[in-house]
Amino acid sequence: MKYDLVLLHAPSVYDFRENALLAGPISDVVPSSPVFEMYPIGLTSIAEYLERQGLRVKIINIANRMLMDESFDVEKKLKKIKTRAFGIDLHWLPHAHGSIELAKIVKNLHPQTPIVFGGLSATYYHKELIEYPFIDFVMRGDSTEKLMLLLIKYLKYGTHQLGGIPNLTWKDGDTPVYNPLSHVPDSLDEFDIPGYRYTIKSVFKYKNFLDPLPYNGWLQYPNTAILTAKGCTQGCLICGGSKQSYKDNCNRKVLAKRSPEKLIEDILFIQRFSRAPIFILHDIRQAGKEYVDEFFERLSEINLKNELVFELFQYANEAFFEKIEKAVSKYSIELTLETHDEKIRRFNGKFNCTNAKVIETLQAALKHSCKKIDIFFMVGIPHQDYQSALDNVDFCEEIQNACGDKRLSYFVAPLAPFLDPASPAFENPEKYGYKKFCHTIEDHRKAITQPSWKYMLSFETDYMTRDEIVQSTYESAKKLNAFKLKHGLVDKKTHDEVNEKIARSLEYIEKIDQIVSLPEAEKNRQLALLSKEMEEVNKYSICGKHELKWEVKKHYANIFSLTAIGLELLAEDIVINVRQRFNAYNKRIAEASKSRT
């Protein structure tokens, strides 16, 4: 079988199965493991859009296949593939090593097949990426579905000219060419984002159940999401997805929205195969009051079976939660406060309100039937010193005393491993209190392979060194763990397991500090000995394994529903293909008749 495009997702560090890395808490508060095996949702929307145009597209989550099976042979898998092009995402910068190493392997196996990079980090570093001899194209921007269609049609039929494809970075011989970044759509309704229809259909169409799985454990806990918008209205200093960052990196000046009607369609489709919570990506209020009102009005008209999880960027009043309560039978919220310090929050841009307003937001949510509230604090943000990081837990105590409710969950995590490229803090580090250790893509590639997350950190601040960021993260986590036990938010077993992992992590940090100064051969030998030992502390190293999970009645995807939907979508494909061929045949007959006349 020959494909038109095969999309690959790499692990953060390609040879993670061989090298010892203490990733620590850098992935504790995301669904992925330290391998960062969850691929960006843009892969599915590209695949779905191209298949809708009659092309054959396959997604292979290489990272997850490697994680699930220690004997999985990447080169053997890739060598068999026949395709017109390979696409590799570099959306999140922690994939800087894995994505580039994977591209080398692919080009070695398929020297004549073009390799395309894409994603926010690829967009930022497109001029560096195109200099690699094994990377042929970089597709820039945040919405590249139509552009990928133009590129694949060029490779397949010779139609279009490379110079006429917007957002494309390519090579004219050995000379890099940077086409204008001019394709910036302001609506997302034309695309499936995420493309769950494609993902399910592809399992049956391409006869492989494992390749497109989003992350390890998805079948047991099938988290899903819907995307409300691309771009942002907020100006957070440390976020590569902030308003200014999108403007500078993607030429996005206005929010690109997915209409409430389309969001409801997405929800209805998801609940056909999953009863797990659906995460509403981004604060839905960014799109305005009319948008929010229409969404909840439409939501109240359907038989909603899944829990919804809403994200908050700023203070929310009681009226907002009243709307949710009327429309949704079960919902939770997430908010990243980052810090208890009101001045720092105002400076950084996230939840720039008083602490009294924060508590008021939480109380309003709890009053109006919110099932669970996750509150996140961060270590390593601008103007935060060591004591300020620890004081976050005191604010947790204040919140808990004011709300007196076990539906509240608290988390702390470091800003790690990298500062986001294109974020204000990355672009103007001295202005915002940072010292950068990594500047180029190669800097980040080297950093992510360091043996502990302390050495992976691409920065330190005016207030804390890398050592202090690491130490205050673990000390904050231990203090928070004690707070949770005191208020009955975790049981004694979970508390003791977390404390043990923190203690072991600190021991490994110290051991690695001693090992890195050894001669190279001895250093590698000592790190190899630590490798297996460190595997366990890389998983939920500063919080309980199940603390971030929402309760669902069925902790697995409905296999029977997946099969039925997959077969149904394949049947729809057949009908569409027959219709397209029939129309094309009629068009040729009409043209032939016209020419004879």
Side-chain angles (χ1 to χ4, degrees):
M1 181 182 295
K2 184 165 185 177
Y3 305 100
D4 294 297
L5 176 65
V6 172
L7 296 165
L8 306 175
H9 179 67
S12 55
V13 176
Y14 180 74
D15 47 0
F16 72 92
R17 293 187 294 191
E18 301 168 17
N19 294 323
L21 297 171
L22 181 64
I26 63 175
S27 67
D28 272 8
V29 293
V30 295
S32 290
S33 72
V35 173
F36 289 97
E37 78 277 8
M38 184 172 68
Y39 53 76
I41 61 176
L43 290 191
T44 63
S45 63
I46 290 170
E48 189 279 332
Y49 183 76
L50 266 59
E51 289 237 330
R52 214 190 313 157
Q53 311 305 317
L55 300 180
R56 301 176 70 86
V57 184
K58 183 175 176 63
I59 293 176
I60 306 176
N61 189 344
I62 295 293
N64 195 42
R65 294 301 309 268
M66 294 173 75
L67 192 63
M68 293 176 71
D69 182 2
E70 288 187 4
S71 64
F72 177 73
D73 189 326
V74 177
E75 294 192 29
K76 183 179 178 182
K77 174 79 173 179
L78 295 175
K79 190 174 183 179
K80 298 176 182 177
I81 294 174
K82 295 178 181 179
T83 182
R84 295 186 190 279
F86 286 97
I88 299 177
D89 68 273
L90 179 50
H91 185 67
W92 297 297
L93 197 50
H95 290 95
H97 181 273
S99 62
I100 292 173
E101 290 301 311
L102 185 60
K104 285 182 188 176
I105 292 168
V106 172
K107 185 59 80 171
N108 184 55
L109 295 170
H110 303 279
Q112 303 306 314
T113 306
I115 295 177
V116 190
F117 266 57
L120 288 185
S121 294
T123 297
Y124 186 86
Y125 283 114
H126 71 107
K127 291 184 178 180
E128 292 183 39
L129 290 170
I130 203 64
E131 295 289 345
Y132 290 107
F134 44 84
I135 297 176
D136 302 283
F137 302 103
V138 182
M139 192 63 80
R140 290 134 53 212
D142 62 18
S143 303
T144 62
E145 292 85 356
K146 288 188 173 183
L147 307 182
M148 287 299 295
L149 177 63
L150 292 178
L151 180 58
I152 300 303
K153 282 188 172 181
Y154 166 82
L155 297 173
K156 187 172 184 177
Y157 305 116
T159 55
H160 313 287
Q161 294 296 317
L162 290 177
I165 301 178
N167 302 25
L168 184 66
T169 294
W170 55 287
K171 294 170 184 172
D172 186 1
D174 293 328
T175 304
V177 181
Y178 317 114
N179 293 354
L181 207 167
S182 56
H183 179 76
V184 190
D186 57 7
S187 172
L188 305 178
D189 279 3
E190 192 174 351
F191 315 110
D192 264 6
I193 312 176
Y196 291 117
R197 290 171 181 82
Y198 161 81
T199 306
I200 294 172
K201 180 180 67 177
S202 71
V203 167
F204 301 93
K205 184 174 182 178
Y206 301 128
K207 301 178 179 65
N208 193 297
F209 194 66
L210 298 177
D211 285 347
L213 287 177
Y215 56 86
N216 193 23
W218 186 83
L219 287 172
Q220 291 73 36
Y221 200 83
N223 273 336
T224 55
I226 58 174
L227 183 69
T228 58
K230 289 187 178 182
C232 192
T233 60
Q234 307 297 301
C236 303
L237 300 179
I238 57 175
C239 182
S242 68
K243 182 178 181 179
Q244 189 62 44
S245 304
Y246 262 104
K247 183 179 179 182
D248 294 343
N249 197 31
C250 298
N251 197 25
R252 175 161 298 288
K253 298 167 186 174
V254 297
L255 209 63
K257 293 174 282 191
R258 189 157 173 78
S259 70
E261 180 182 1
K262 286 292 183 181
L263 295 183
I264 298 301
E265 287 180 12
D266 294 340
I267 290 171
L268 288 172
F269 184 79
I270 288 169
Q271 66 181 27
R272 288 174 64 185
F273 66 87
S274 172
R275 287 291 177 268
I278 302 172
F279 193 92
I280 313 293
L281 294 172
H282 308 312
D283 192 324
I284 196 169
R285 297 173 297 164
Q286 288 191 113
K289 184 179 183 300
E290 289 184 7
Y291 182 98
V292 172
D293 288 345
E294 182 185 346
F295 174 68
F296 286 126
E297 183 179 346
R298 289 179 178 273
L299 201 57
S300 65
E301 293 171 355
I302 68 172
N303 180 20
L304 180 64
K305 299 174 183 177
N306 297 57
E307 177 181 356
L308 298 187
V309 183
F310 294 90
E311 190 174 8
L312 300 183
F313 291 166
Q314 300 290 353
Y315 162 79
N317 60 25
E318 189 168 344
F320 177 68
F321 296 108
E322 287 176 346
K323 289 178 183 178
I324 301 178
E325 186 179 33
K326 287 179 182 177
V328 181
S329 60
K330 186 188 295 183
Y331 75 96
S332 296
I333 63 170
E334 284 195 349
L335 54 152
T336 303
L337 287 181
E338 292 179 355
T339 175
H340 72 285
D341 191 310
E342 297 172 0
K343 291 180 181 178
I344 295 178
R345 286 207 305 271
R346 281 195 293 271
F347 181 71
N348 190 39
K350 183 70 69 72
F351 257 87
N352 53 357
C353 62
T354 64
N355 286 342
K357 285 288 187 182
V358 171
I359 292 174
E360 186 180 311
T361 298
L362 301 174
Q363 289 174 330
L366 294 168
K367 177 181 176 182
H368 292 282
S369 308
C370 183
K371 184 172 175 287
K372 186 175 187 286
I373 302 177
D374 289 340
I375 307 169
F376 297 91
F377 295 91
M378 194 169 283
V379 178
I381 60 176
H383 292 186
Q384 180 190 61
D385 61 21
Y386 196 109
Q387 187 58 48
S388 181
L390 300 183
D391 289 346
N392 285 330
V393 183
D394 296 331
F395 185 46
C396 295
E397 187 83 42
E398 185 179 339
I399 292 172
Q400 195 64 30
N401 289 336
C403 297
D405 202 301
K406 290 187 178 182
R407 288 176 285 173
L408 293 160
S409 298
Y410 307 86
F411 303 92
V412 63
L415 174 60
F418 303 144
L419 278 178
D420 281 359
S423 68
F426 187 91
E427 299 303 312
N428 299 283
E430 293 181 2
K431 179 178 178 181
Y432 298 116
Y434 283 96
K435 177 183 177 182
K436 285 198 306 186
F437 299 118
C438 296
H439 303 268
T440 67
I441 195 74
E442 280 296 324
D443 292 340
H444 290 92
R445 266 168 47 80
K446 183 178 179 181
I448 198 65
T449 63
Q450 295 305 299
S452 86
W453 70 276
K454 182 179 88 172
Y455 297 103
M456 295 177 199
L457 284 175
S458 68
F459 66 91
E460 62 185 19
T461 75
D462 289 350
Y463 292 82
M464 284 198 279
T465 64
R466 286 197 287 193
D467 277 298
E468 289 171 329
I469 291 170
V470 169
Q471 292 295 326
S472 60
T473 295
Y474 286 121
E475 192 172 342
S476 296
K478 189 172 182 179
K479 184 177 179 182
L480 183 63
N481 195 36
F483 156 81
K484 290 176 181 179
L485 181 65
K486 172 185 172 183
H487 289 278
L489 303 178
V490 296
D491 57 29
K492 185 69 164 56
K493 180 183 177 183
T494 299
H495 167 270
D496 292 348
E497 287 174 352
V498 170
N499 267 7
E500 182 185 353
K501 283 192 175 185
I502 290 172
R504 289 174 63 195
S505 296
L506 287 168
E507 289 176 10
Y508 288 130
I509 291 281
E510 189 175 339
K511 285 181 182 179
I512 291 170
D513 283 348
Q514 295 167 359
I515 290 172
V516 293
S517 61
L518 297 173
E520 191 69 17
E522 180 62 16
K523 179 179 79 172
N524 292 337
R525 191 184 74 82
Q526 294 283 355
L527 288 174
L529 293 174
L530 282 182
S531 181
K532 288 294 180 184
E533 290 182 40
M534 293 193 299
E535 277 186 13
E536 195 57 35
V537 296
N538 275 334
K539 302 171 185 174
Y540 304 101
S541 61
I542 57 173
C543 66
K545 181 177 181 180
H546 299 289
E547 284 188 69
L548 266 169
K549 293 182 177 179
W550 295 277
E551 181 185 356
V552 287
K553 292 180 180 178
K554 295 181 179 179
H555 290 267
Y556 51 84
N558 189 324
I559 302 300
F560 298 106
S561 296
L562 287 172
T563 303
I565 295 167
L567 295 175
E568 177 187 321
L569 293 172
L570 281 177
E572 288 176 7
D573 257 12
I574 293 170
V575 172
I576 291 169
N577 287 335
V578 170
R579 187 181 297 125
Q580 286 175 340
R581 291 182 182 183
F582 182 73
N583 290 339
Y585 174 76
N586 282 343
K587 185 178 179 181
R588 288 197 300 271
I589 294 296
E591 288 173 350
S593 176
K594 185 177 179 181
S595 64
R596 285 197 298 271
T597 304

